[in-house]
Amino acid sequence: MHKNIAVLAGDGIGPEVIAEAIKVLQAIEKKYNHSFSFEQALMGAAAIDATGNPLPEETIKTCTSNDAILFGAIGDPKYDNNPDAKVRPEQGLLALRKALNLYCNVRPVAAYDALIDKAPLKRERIEGADLVIYRELTGGIYFGEKRESENGDVASDLCKYSKEEIIRVAHLAFKAATKRNNKLTLVDKANVLASSRLWRSTVTELHQKHYSTVDLDYLFVDNAAMQLILNPSQFDVILTGNLFGDIISDEASVIGGSIGLLASASVGDKYALFEPIHGSFPQGAGKGIANPIATILSAAMMLEHFDMHVEAKAIQSAVNNTINNSIGTPDISPEKSYTTTEVGSHISKLILQ
Ligand code: IPM
Ligand code: MN
C-alpha cells in the first residue's frame, strides 16, 4: 500500500522524536512492502521564526493533501515567558485542530509490566490499569471567546459547548467502549458548570437511545483526578471536555510510567493527526534524551487508521520488547540509559527481524 504522510516536527525535541518515528515507519515499509512518502511542513515556534505565523497556509495545504499527519511537539520558552507575545507557537496546533475539525483526541494509557516497579505509583495501584481517554478537542474553554480589559486587569475565557459538539465525540467514545470493556465514565463538573450539565444530559440521552448496553457512570473532575491515581483500573473509557481532558491525560501518563510513552490520535470526520501527548521539552532538546516511544506509538495509531493492523501490532510488540529489555531513555531507564536514536534504532531493528 502507498500512503502519503504530512510531517510536522515542530519545536524542541519534536524533530528528534519524529526522526525516530520515521525510522520505524521505514522499517515497516521494508518489512511489509509498503511505501510511505513524508512531506515536511512548518508549525509552531519554528514556523513563527521562519514566516511570522505559527500555522502558515502552506502547512494547512500539506496537511489536507496527505493521507494523515504525524506531529512532534510544540512550544518554546521564549514565548511562554513573554506575556506580551502576540503570536504563540501553541496557536498553530490549536488552529490546525480547528481547521481540520479534529474534534476527538484519543489517548490510551496502560501500565507496562516492566515499568511497574519503577513507576512513581505503587504496584498494587497501577497493575492491570488499561484505559483510554476521549478528549473533546475543538471546543470548550480552549476556543470560547477570550477577553482582556483594556487596562489589562481583567481577563476571561468562555467555556461553551453545543449538543452537536458533545454528541459527535460521545459517539466515538461509546463505540470504543463497546469494543473494549463496555464501560464509559463521563468526567465533568456538573455540580458547578452549566456546560457540564449539558454534557451530562446529552451523553445520558445518547446512552439511552443507542448504547444502553454500555455501563455509563459520571464523575466530577476533581474526584476523577483523585480516582485516577488511587484506583485507575476502575476505568475503561473516559469521556471528557477539552480542558479536563488535557489535565487528566497528563495525570494519567504517570500510570504508564512516563509521559514519554503516551501516544494520541486526533481525529475528525475527514482528517487525522497523530501526536505524542508530551510537549516540546526544550531543556532536553539536542541532548539525545527525549523518549521517542510516544511518537513511535502515535505512528502505530496512524497505521491502525490506515487499517494496517498487523503492522501497528509489530510496532507495539517491538516497543514492548524494548521496554522489557530495559532499553530506554533516562525517563524510564535512569540507571543505564540509551539515547533517543538508539531506542528508535533498536525498535526498527526488532521490526526488521
Ligand atoms: C496537548 C498540549 C496542547 C493542549 C498544547 C500544546 C496547546 O498540551 O496536546 O495536550 O493543551 O491541547
Ligand atoms: Mn496537554
Side-chain angles (χ1 to χ4, degrees):
M1 212 188 279
H2 177 79
K3 290 289 179 191
N4 299 313
I5 300 161
V7 177
L8 312 175
D11 307 323
I13 57 169
E16 294 165 62
V17 292
I18 281 286
E20 300 315 306
I22 291 181
K23 196 189 272 177
V24 167
L25 287 168
Q26 285 167 337
I28 293 286
E29 276 186 299
K30 245 197 213 151
K31 173 86 178 186
Y32 296 92
N33 245 321
H34 296 305
S35 80
F36 299 137
S37 69
F38 300 98
E39 189 182 350
Q40 308 261 355
L42 287 174
M43 187 164 78
I48 299 177
D49 293 345
T51 70
N53 180 352
L55 180 66
E57 203 45 52
E58 183 123 353
T59 297
I60 302 186
K61 249 191 242 140
T62 304
C63 291
T64 54
S65 60
N66 279 272
D67 297 309
I69 306 146
L70 187 63
F71 164 63
I74 208 160
D76 190 298
K78 78 175 174 234
Y79 299 96
D80 295 345
N81 305 329
N82 175 6
D84 296 327
K86 287 279 174 291
V87 278
R88 292 178 183 281
E90 289 79 1
Q91 288 166 345
L93 179 59
L94 298 176
L96 185 65
R97 288 172 178 168
K98 197 73 174 173
L100 306 187
N101 202 16
L102 306 172
Y103 57 82
C104 176
N105 181 228
V106 183
R107 301 188 158 179
V109 181
Y112 285 89
D113 288 341
L115 298 178
I116 279 187
D117 290 319
K118 293 184 197 156
L121 300 172
K122 288 194 185 119
R123 165 178 281 275
E124 55 273 26
R125 295 217 191 280
I126 54 175
E127 210 162 28
D130 182 356
L131 59 99
V132 57
I133 298 171
Y134 274 67
R135 166 187 174 195
E136 199 291 325
L137 201 61
T138 49
I141 196 164
Y142 270 60
F143 291 94
E145 188 194 350
K146 298 183 188 312
R147 284 189 176 188
E148 279 153 303
S149 69
E150 232 147 75
N151 66 5
D153 285 353
V154 182
S156 66
D157 299 271
L158 181 69
C159 181
K160 188 169 160 187
Y161 268 115
S162 69
K163 260 180 124 163
E164 193 198 335
E165 286 174 306
I166 298 166
I167 288 173
R168 60 188 186 177
V169 65
H171 268 300
L172 297 183
F174 273 119
K175 283 193 184 123
T178 61
K179 293 192 198 120
R180 290 175 48 102
N181 291 320
N182 234 22
K183 184 173 176 197
L184 188 139
T185 306
L186 174 65
V187 169
D188 61 26
K189 189 73 187 171
N191 52 345
V192 177
L193 304 177
S195 52
S196 283
R197 289 193 282 276
L198 184 66
W199 272 85
R200 247 182 219 217
S201 58
T202 306
V203 170
T204 305
E205 196 183 320
L206 201 67
H207 175 244
Q208 282 161 357
K209 263 202 206 146
H210 302 288
Y211 304 100
S212 54
T213 56
V214 174
D215 178 11
L216 169 67
D217 67 0
Y218 314 89
L219 275 184
F220 296 139
V221 63
D222 45 354
N223 186 16
M226 181 174 69
Q227 296 295 331
L228 255 178
I229 46 173
L230 276 182
N231 178 18
S233 44
Q234 70 182 287
F235 296 109
D236 180 24
V237 177
I238 292 178
L239 168 64
T240 190
N242 204 344
L243 180 62
F244 298 154
D246 179 47
I247 297 167
I248 65 167
S249 57
D250 267 34
E251 185 194 10
S253 76
V254 182
I255 298 161
S258 166
I259 197 165
L261 298 171
L262 241 66
S264 87
S266 302
V267 300
D269 297 327
K270 199 155 171 212
Y271 303 106
L273 176 149
F274 300 85
E275 50 178 323
I277 86 151
H278 61 68
S280 59
F281 185 30
Q283 321 84 281
K287 296 186 181 150
I289 57 172
N291 193 336
I293 290 181
T295 313
I296 291 171
L297 290 174
S298 301
M301 291 181 88
M302 180 175 75
L303 297 186
E304 296 268 7
H305 172 76
F306 293 154
D307 274 329
M308 296 180 182
H309 303 290
V310 173
E311 295 83 340
K313 278 261 146 47
I315 298 184
Q316 286 152 357
S317 331
V319 165
N320 284 336
N321 190 316
T322 302
I323 293 175
N324 288 339
N325 285 306
S326 301
I327 298 178
T329 42
D331 53 320
I332 55 170
S333 194
E335 315 80 40
K336 178 173 185 341
S337 30
Y338 292 78
T339 65
T340 309
T341 324
E342 284 167 340
V343 172
S345 299
H346 187 79
I347 294 169
S348 313
K349 233 187 278 152
L350 288 174
I351 289 169
L352 285 169
Q353 261 172 18

